[in-house]
Amino acid sequence: METKQVIEKAARDAYGRLLSYLAVNWRDLQAVEDAIGDAFLAALETWPKVGVPDKPESWLITVVRRRLIDRARRTRISESALPTLLAMSEDAQLLTSSSALPLRTND
């Protein structure tokens, strides 16, 4: 069977199981659907080069989990960095506006 056919079969056979299993664990259906789509895209890019794994569904679930973990990390970092970035932006604006004021000269 061709690689593309194996991926199509995996999509038909495993999509529902992947979605239900991961949606229960992650509780974010949109993120899970996005990660599953990314996993199938990765399969389309990777499997023709390196071959189809022995357990395609296990490979897909591993990729999906990694995508979800990466997304959670990015979100956590973004949320923690936002207050600092806003404070830095305000400081920069204050410095810019104070340096734009004309200097007083003693006439």
Side-chain angles (χ1 to χ4, degrees), residues 65-84:
R65 281 184 180 156
R66 289 177 181 167
R67 295 283 197 271
L68 290 167
I69 290 168
D70 289 346
R71 180 180 177 152
R73 285 180 184 150
R74 277 193 308 274
T75 301
R76 188 182 71 233
I77 289 169
S78 295
E79 288 173 354
S80 66
L82 184 61
T84 303

Side-chain angles (χ1 to χ4, degrees), residues 1-15 18 36-64 66-67:
M1 193 180 303
E2 274 188 45
T3 304
K4 187 176 179 183
Q5 292 172 330
V6 171
I7 295 169
E8 288 174 1
K9 184 178 179 342
R12 282 192 303 276
D13 295 346
Y15 185 85
L18 290 170
I36 291 172
D38 289 347
F40 279 107
L41 178 61
L44 285 168
E45 293 171 346
T46 305
W47 294 1
K49 295 175 188 170
V50 299
V52 177
D54 293 334
K55 296 181 180 180
E57 193 170 333
S58 297
W59 188 95
L60 290 166
I61 202 161
T62 299
V63 172
V64 172
R66 289 177 181 167
R67 295 283 197 271

Side-chain angles (χ1 to χ4, degrees), residues 91-104:
D91 289 347
Q93 287 177 349
L94 286 173
L95 288 172
T96 303
S97 64
S98 65
S99 65
L101 294 175
L103 295 175
R104 282 200 243 172

